[in-house]
Amino acid sequence: KKKLKISGRELVSVPKQVFGLDQLQVLEMSPERESCLRYRMELLPREISHLRNLTCLYLDSNNLKKIPAEIGTLSHLERLTLSNNSLSSLPLEIGALQRLRSLHLANNSLTELPAPLCQLRSLTFLDMSDNKISTIASSIRHLEKLETLLLLYNSLDSLPEDVCLLSNLRTLWLGNNHLRSLPASFGELVNLDWGNNYCSCNFEGNPLESPPPEVCSRGPEEIRDYFLSFSRT
């Protein structure tokens, strides 16, 4: 068996038999899109390390408070979803997941961008919306392949200049933070799709002053020109 979805009206633990399925590639233990179900798992067992062939692990909408260090042994993992839980931190070992391409962390209790994420060179999608993040580690620049970064509804009052080094970014949502200014090199993010149909760069709900919202909405060239005009004076 390579794919398994575990469902129950009030799932509180992982059946032990699951950890014997060493060929399992996809494990889903999430009530997403099933409003009649309510999951209450607080702990992911350390025995998750037995499932060495996992590529996708879905754990959204539980009550997880901790992820074990053994998560780092899942070397084939490409997709990990942990949104809508009660996580306040992530284990350092998550940085060992070098094949990880999609990581969902929205709506937890994280207060900063976890440092281990900076080691995930294959990551293309990072969702940390609706947490309580107030700072972003400058070493985020190491996420060289990152294409999507969602940081809506947090407490950011600044962005490190290193965000502008994420040259592969195509979607960056920054709405509903406390940003008053953007880094001077923000206009270098030329791969962002600024088209009205995609809204790939979102600033709504920020008290932006430099550059003002009307400049931001016009795209990277206008932002570059805005900062250039200051450097010439």
Side-chain angles (χ1 to χ4, degrees), residues 41-105:
M41 277 199 303
E42 294 188 2
L43 179 66
L44 181 65
R46 293 183 297 176
E47 287 79 5
I48 193 68
S49 62
H50 296 173
L51 305 180
R52 295 295 179 92
N53 289 299
L54 274 186
T55 60
C56 299
L57 179 57
Y58 299 92
L59 294 164
D60 296 300
S61 299
N62 277 279
N63 192 28
L64 292 172
K65 294 178 169 59
K66 186 177 181 181
I67 301 299
E70 285 76 8
I71 195 76
T73 65
L74 303 181
S75 59
H76 294 283
L77 204 61
E78 297 178 3
R79 185 177 180 88
L80 176 60
T81 67
L82 296 166
S83 296
N84 305 314
N85 279 288
S86 302
L87 298 170
S88 58
S89 63
L90 293 175
L92 292 173
E93 288 76 9
I94 202 169
L97 302 178
Q98 293 301 304
R99 295 192 185 185
L100 199 65
R101 301 184 67 83
S102 182
L103 177 60
H104 295 202
L105 292 166

Side-chain angles (χ1 to χ4, degrees), residues 107-206:
N107 195 24
N108 277 282
S109 300
L110 301 166
T111 56
E112 61 183 356
L113 191 66
L117 298 186
C118 302
Q119 303 171 33
L120 303 178
R121 300 299 177 88
S122 294
L123 199 63
T124 59
F125 187 98
L126 176 57
D127 182 358
M128 300 190 71
S129 307
D130 200 11
N131 279 284
K132 299 176 183 177
I133 300 170
S134 57
T135 60
I136 300 179
S138 61
S139 51
I140 193 174
R141 68 180 183 275
H142 296 308
L143 300 178
E144 298 169 353
K145 297 183 180 180
L146 194 64
E147 295 178 1
T148 301
L149 178 57
L150 307 185
L151 289 163
L152 298 86
Y153 293 98
N154 281 291
S155 302
L156 295 172
D157 53 18
S158 65
L159 286 178
E161 201 67 49
D162 286 3
V163 167
C164 305
L165 298 176
L166 301 175
S167 58
N168 287 308
L169 268 187
R170 297 183 181 277
T171 301
L172 175 60
W173 288 1
L174 296 164
N176 294 90
N177 279 281
H178 306 312
L179 299 173
R180 293 188 175 276
S181 64
L182 298 177
S185 55
F186 193 87
E188 301 303 318
L189 296 174
V190 294
N191 283 323
L192 289 175
D193 184 349
W194 297 76
N196 292 329
N197 292 333
Y198 298 98
C199 300
S200 75
C201 198
N202 173 285
F203 302 101
E204 292 181 2
N206 284 286

Side-chain angles (χ1 to χ4, degrees), residues 6-23:
I6 299 176
S7 46
R9 192 166 294 277
E10 292 197 8
L11 186 70
V12 295
S13 62
V14 185
K16 291 182 179 180
Q17 296 90 329
V18 171
F19 302 120
L21 303 174
D22 56 4
Q23 297 303 309

